[in-house]
Amino acid sequence: MSEDVANPRKAELRRLVERAETIEQELDDVLRPARDALAAGAWVSSAARPFEEGLQEARRDLLRGAEATTTALRAEWSTTPARIPAGEPR
């Protein structure tokens, strides 16, 4: 009977989940300088409002994508066995 060993894929997925969570938290700040500048009146013209709306849409898209990535990685991590047979390909 073969002995079970730690599944390296489980550890790899844990690292990816942690990294994705960090990126997800940091993404909200990526467009903050532009949003703050617009809110402070840095650009006043007929094109400023559509630009600001586009900026908000881009922010929502970034955050949705990051959240979906983190969710997918968590799901894969939760279904990946912690231990596998020693002879099984890693």
Side-chain angles (χ1 to χ4, degrees), residues 33-50:
R35 292 188 347 249
D36 290 348
L38 285 169
W43 186 13
V44 179
S45 79
S46 60
R49 185 72 180 145

Side-chain angles (χ1 to χ4, degrees), residues 7-83:
N7 185 350
R9 178 71 177 147
K10 184 84 168 185
E12 177 186 6
L13 285 167
R14 181 73 246 157
R15 285 189 300 275
L16 289 171
V17 167
E18 290 169 359
R19 182 70 181 128
E21 289 170 343
T22 299
I23 291 170
E24 187 176 347
Q25 292 168 1
E26 293 171 351
L27 271 177
D28 197 28
D29 291 332
V30 169
L31 299 175
R32 188 176 310 279
R35 292 188 347 249
D36 290 348
L38 285 169
W43 186 13
V44 179
S45 79
S46 60
R49 185 72 180 145
F51 180 82
E52 184 175 12
E53 289 169 356
L55 200 58
Q56 291 300 337
E57 185 176 341
R59 177 182 171 267
R60 283 189 300 272
D61 290 346
L62 282 170
L63 294 176
R64 264 193 297 257
E67 182 180 348
T69 299
T70 302
T71 299
L73 287 168
R74 282 184 189 133
E76 187 171 345
W77 178 84
S78 70
T79 60
T80 299
R83 302 196 61 78

